[in-house]
Amino acid sequence: MTDAIEQVRKRMEAAAEALDFEEARRLRDQLNLLRGGASPEAARAADTAGLTRQQPGAMGLGTSQQRMTPPPGWRPPPRPDPMTRSTGRRPRTKDRE
C-alpha cells in the first residue's frame, strides 16, 4: 500500500512541476483516498471532479464546529442599561471587611 501511495505522490509532484494542475488535483484526491484506506483500484476509479473542498474558516476559527445560525425570528436579548446599577444584588458597602 505504501508503494502505491508513494507512486501517486511522485506522479502528483511531477504533474505540479509540469504545471498540469488538473492532473495534480486529481492525483491529490486519489492520494487522500489511498491514505484513508481505499484500495488502489477504488481510488483510481473514484470520480472526485464534483467534490468541493471546504473553504478556510467555513467551520470557525481553527475548530471543526459549525457556525450556528439562529432560528427564524430570534432576536438577541437587549443590552443592559449602563446607567443603572446592579439591581437585584446586595447593596454595596463603603468599608468591606
Side-chain angles (χ1 to χ4, degrees), residues 2-82:
T2 59
D3 293 335
I5 290 174
E6 189 62 27
Q7 288 175 351
V8 172
R9 188 185 63 78
K10 286 180 181 178
R11 287 177 37 212
M12 179 186 68
E13 289 175 356
E17 286 179 14
L19 301 179
D20 187 4
F21 298 118
E22 291 298 318
E23 178 69 10
R25 178 199 56 83
R26 188 183 66 74
L27 290 169
R28 179 202 60 207
D29 294 341
Q30 184 178 345
L31 183 63
N32 286 336
L33 288 172
L34 286 171
R35 287 180 178 160
S39 68
E41 295 80 23
R44 225 176 283 117
D47 180 24
T48 58
L51 297 179
T52 57
R53 295 203 169 269
Q54 176 183 338
Q55 297 301 315
M59 298 280 287
L61 181 61
T63 68
S64 61
Q65 294 180 347
Q66 294 181 349
R67 290 187 184 147
M68 300 304 293
T69 53
W74 181 83
R75 289 182 20 212
R79 291 185 167 195
D81 186 6

